[in-house]
Amino acid sequence: YFRAYRFWSAEPLLLLCIGVAFIGQASSPRCTDRNRAVLQGFGFLQAYEQARNNEHESAYNIGRAAHQLGLLNIAEHYYKRCLATSPSALAQQEQSQGKPAEVRAQAATLRPNLGALPEPPPQASLDLRQEAAHNLARIY
């Protein structure tokens, strides 16, 4: 992931993947420095939250990562943030975003021999409130 990160450091999916990889590493019994892996994982997840510009989705993903690590008070906070976001606010955020075109333009200037990136599919408004409520019920 870090090879791609050099070229597309603001790509939300890449930041999410790197953050999840660090969280997975911290969950592994072979990890020698769990604290460092957790801190780096949450650092990338917070960068993902800023780059994604979708509070509903990013709050759920960060809550899920905290839940995986057993950090239930942090997971509860992020799940409640996910529940507080309305689906109508999601549609407004997605319409004002416009990031995929910027990423394709950046990719074309950095690596012209790669060719054009494919057009991304239209983003659907995902309502993750049911999943967040289910995970909150599992915590309680």
Side-chain angles (χ1 to χ4, degrees):
Y1 292 122
F2 283 106
R3 187 176 202 157
Y5 181 71
R6 287 191 327 206
F7 297 107
W8 300 294
S9 61
E11 174 60 33
L13 179 61
L14 187 59
L15 294 169
L16 177 65
C17 289
I18 293 172
V20 168
F22 275 116
I23 297 297
Q25 180 184 11
S27 300
S28 169
R30 295 183 185 185
C31 183
T32 57
D33 193 358
R34 285 196 171 105
N35 291 331
R36 182 180 172 123
V38 168
L39 287 174
Q40 286 181 327
F42 278 106
F44 278 103
L45 288 174
Q46 287 183 344
Y48 154 74
E49 181 179 23
Q50 293 173 353
R52 180 68 175 115
N53 197 22
N54 185 336
E55 184 179 359
H56 182 75
E57 182 183 306
S58 59
Y60 176 79
N61 287 328
I62 294 172
R64 185 64 195 97
H67 196 173
Q68 178 181 346
L69 292 172
L71 303 171
L72 301 181
N73 57 339
I74 296 172
E76 179 183 357
H77 168 75
Y78 279 102
Y79 286 146
K80 286 182 179 180
R81 269 182 53 188
C82 178
L83 288 171
T85 307
S86 67
S88 63
L90 290 174
Q92 291 173 356
Q93 284 178 354
E94 288 175 355
Q95 289 173 356
S96 66
Q97 203 168 19
K99 283 197 183 280
E102 295 171 14
V103 171
R104 283 191 307 279
Q106 181 185 13
T109 59
L110 289 175
R111 302 285 301 255
N113 57 347
L114 283 178
L117 290 175
E119 189 69 30
Q123 290 184 354
S125 291
L126 295 176
D127 190 1
L128 298 169
R129 292 182 295 177
Q130 185 174 2
E131 288 82 359
H134 172 76
N135 289 345
L136 267 176
R138 291 191 61 165
I139 288 173
Y140 294 136

